[in-house]
Amino acid sequence: MPPLMPRTPIRRLLSAAAAFRRFSSAAPESRTQKLERIADELLSLTKEERNDYSTLFRLRLGLNNLVQAGGGLPSAVTGPAGDSAAPAEEKEKTAFDIKLEKFDATAKIKVIKEVRTFTDLGLKEAKELVEKTPVVLKKGVTKEEAEAIAAKLKEVGATVVLE
């Protein structure tokens, strides 16, 4: 994402503005003083305040697509609606990984058979995979499918974690 302005120090911009003022009769002295006062106030802000200011400035200019996700505004700027809208933006996790943590040694054959039912692995590959515990058995599974597989594995004596 390109920055709004080139990273030129404020002092250099002020000196350029002063040089421009000498050649322009339309720029009154009070305008320059106002700009210098604003620049001094901006320079005195903390890093967090500068971040909040830049976000607010982009919003006021209508450049909403340049406001970084998670940059946020303080509650004084967003108001009470801004605080309640933040949790609504968080999305529920839809894809899960099924991880085999451990299994009962006496139930090893049952676990291998169960792993074969929901993977396309042969007997040898499933056995090697189960023996590598802890290992991820399947990635990017829907919540319902992941819970069903985890329940079946737990029935045969395995400890499964959904990540």
Side-chain angles (χ1 to χ4, degrees):
M1 171 172 50
L4 289 177
M5 293 179 39
R7 296 184 183 245
T8 309
I10 298 280
R11 301 284 183 205
R12 191 180 310 163
L13 289 174
L14 288 176
S15 65
F20 177 76
R21 186 185 71 235
R22 282 185 234 137
F23 296 109
S24 172
S25 61
E29 185 64 27
S30 62
R31 185 174 182 187
T32 303
Q33 290 174 349
K34 180 179 178 182
L35 291 175
E36 288 178 4
R37 180 184 50 79
I38 292 171
D40 288 337
E41 287 178 14
L42 288 174
L43 289 171
S44 68
L45 295 176
T46 65
K47 186 176 181 178
E48 184 177 317
E49 290 171 332
R50 283 192 304 262
N51 184 33
D52 291 342
Y53 172 77
S54 70
T55 304
L56 176 63
F57 191 69
R58 282 182 260 157
L59 285 171
R60 290 254 178 108
L61 288 176
L63 304 172
N64 296 346
N65 59 343
L66 295 179
V67 175
Q68 297 174 351
L73 292 173
S75 59
V77 175
T78 59
D83 294 335
S84 62
E89 293 175 6
E90 294 178 16
K91 295 183 179 178
E92 186 175 333
K93 189 174 180 180
T94 56
F96 293 88
D97 296 339
I98 303 169
K99 184 176 182 181
L100 177 64
E101 288 289 323
K102 59 183 177 178
F103 58 91
D104 187 21
T106 58
K108 181 177 179 180
I109 295 173
K110 292 179 184 177
V111 172
I112 293 171
K113 286 182 180 180
E114 194 59 45
V115 167
R116 288 189 66 208
T117 61
F118 65 86
T119 62
D120 295 331
L121 299 176
L123 182 61
K124 181 181 176 187
E125 293 86 6
K127 179 181 181 266
E128 290 172 355
L129 185 66
V130 169
E131 289 175 345
K132 291 181 186 177
T133 57
V135 65
V136 175
L137 298 175
K138 200 164 184 182
K139 293 183 178 183
V141 183
T142 63
K143 185 176 182 179
E144 295 81 21
E145 185 181 355
E147 288 175 348
I149 292 171
K152 289 177 185 176
L153 285 170
K154 287 178 183 177
E155 284 178 14
V156 295
T159 304
V160 181
V161 176
L162 299 180
E163 295 180 336

